Amino acid sequence: MELEAIHQKEDAFSLSNKRATIGGRSLKSIRSNQSHGNDDRNETLPSPTIAAEHLERWNYPRKNMWRVFATFWSFLIMGANDATYGPIIPYLETYYDLSYVVVSLIFLSPFVGYNAAALLNNSIHLKFGQRGIAFLGPVCHMIAYIVIAVHPPYPVLVIVFIIAGLGNGLEDSAWNAWIGNMANANEILGFLHAFYGLGATIAPLIATTMITKAGLPWYYWYYIMIGATAIEIGTSLWAFWGATGQVFRDAHPRTSDAGGSRLREAVLKRPAARVVWLCALFLLGYVGIEVALGGWIVTFMIRVRHGAPFASGMTATGFWLGITVGRVILGFVTPRIGEKLAIAIYLPIALGLQLLFWLVPQFYVSAVAVSLQGFFLGPMFPAAMVACTKLLPKHLHVSGIGFAAAFGGSGGAIFPFAVGAIAQAKGVQVLQPIIVALLAVIWMLWMGLPRIGKKKE
């Protein structure tokens, strides 16, 4: 095996040398440019199509096992972070004596952090590599949770939720781009996002129990988040310590003749820009649907379906559990039928279940329908990430996928806030037509993507 690996490296070296010579630049001159501080290595010819790319796997090289587990833990914390907003809103409202619109700013403030992550993600990779993300993401979480735990004045709280959003956005974009380029990406991304769903499932249960049963102040929940984030800092840094900026630049040389920022190439130059913006807008709507439903379903079930508080709370748990299970199970189905066709099938099913939820005014029908809807919504984010890796050149994976993931994540801030603002005037029943409209829009966006070929593994 070692001899075979040596031969493969020699072949790759020989091929790289030929490409460099044909393009009018010697291998020596490329190395010279790198040694003189050229941070973004640029090859003059596109990658050859005659050789199949050998993709990394979750367990090969061996260090990937620990790295994948570290990303799973990060997504668990991200899910807990996002799902905590709903349960603590009533207590923030009372504690700070706020109107509903003002307290809803905590939904909106992560939008700033996510969009900052979309702009910074590629630069951090080029300068510091994945090690930079493994440090900055968890540290943003830690800073935010420590400040929240000391329950500062409300304007400070809004600002630190921006910092938490930045941490989420950096990790969301980086780990999706990395795992999305692996072999069996649908399955691994399914588990990655299942951990997000797991965090989103258990966080409201624990937080609500601490507040309602134990009689603890709302901010005590963030002591648990601080402990979980301390583990995240240790595991992420240990796993990704060797993933420096130099390692990243060597592994992702630019394979187009474009100059300047890779992010600019990804979002402004066709054909990549078409893929990136369609996926970004698709994810904006999808995450908006996910978080708006998860955040408002309890209020809807209490006020419109007249359910008991505990039973209504369980419908939110059922929704997030449906998402978690769907990501695991359908993660194995999606690659068999192809990402484009799979999502084109899942979305109309989710739309039908949403109509059932809306038009049949029965508590138990609504509870079952929203859980099943979560099941079919679950695999959509991972599938969109895999689609991006297949449609974009490798040197644009981090910039393009990172932008789409972070920009899409901001939908979890915009749409729940919009639902709340409209609901204050029209009632929480506006949730249903808004979700129906968003499902129809993201289906049209998805169908606008180019035909997706198979990834070589």
Side-chain angles (χ1 to χ4, degrees), residues 132-156:
I133 301 294
F135 173 75
L136 290 173
V139 165
C140 285
H141 286 157
M142 181 64 79
I143 293 171
Y145 301 151
I146 288 175
V147 174
I148 296 169
V150 299
H151 44 283
Y154 186 70
V156 178

Side-chain angles (χ1 to χ4, degrees), residues 5 17 37 66 87 144 157 172 185 199 219 253 275 287 349 370 399 418 449 456:
N17 200 1
W66 310 114
L157 211 62
D172 199 7
Y219 50 83
V275 173
V287 177
I349 295 174
V370 80
S399 53
L449 282 174
K456 295 174 183 177

Side-chain angles (χ1 to χ4, degrees), residues 1 202 211 342 367 407 411 413 416 452:
M1 289 296 292
I202 62 177
I211 295 168
F407 183 86
I452 302 172

Side-chain angles (χ1 to χ4, degrees), residues 100-115:
Y100 183 75
V101 172
V102 174
V103 81
S104 293
L105 286 173
I106 67 164
F107 274 126
L108 198 58
S109 58
F111 172 80
V112 180
Y114 262 94
N115 281 279

Side-chain angles (χ1 to χ4, degrees), residues 100-101 104 107 296 414-425 430 434:
Y100 183 75
V101 172
S104 293
F107 274 126
W296 288 102
I414 296 172
F415 290 110
F417 179 81
V419 169
I422 298 171
Q424 185 161 350
V430 300
I434 290 174

Side-chain angles (χ1 to χ4, degrees), residues 342-376:
I343 301 306
I345 293 171
Y346 299 156
L347 270 172
I349 295 174
L351 180 59
L353 290 165
Q354 180 62 30
L355 289 171
L356 182 67
F357 179 20
W358 179 17
L359 300 175
V360 179
Q362 299 291 330
F363 181 90
Y364 292 108
V365 172
S366 297
V368 173
V370 80
S371 297
L372 290 173
Q373 188 178 6
F375 179 82
F376 286 102

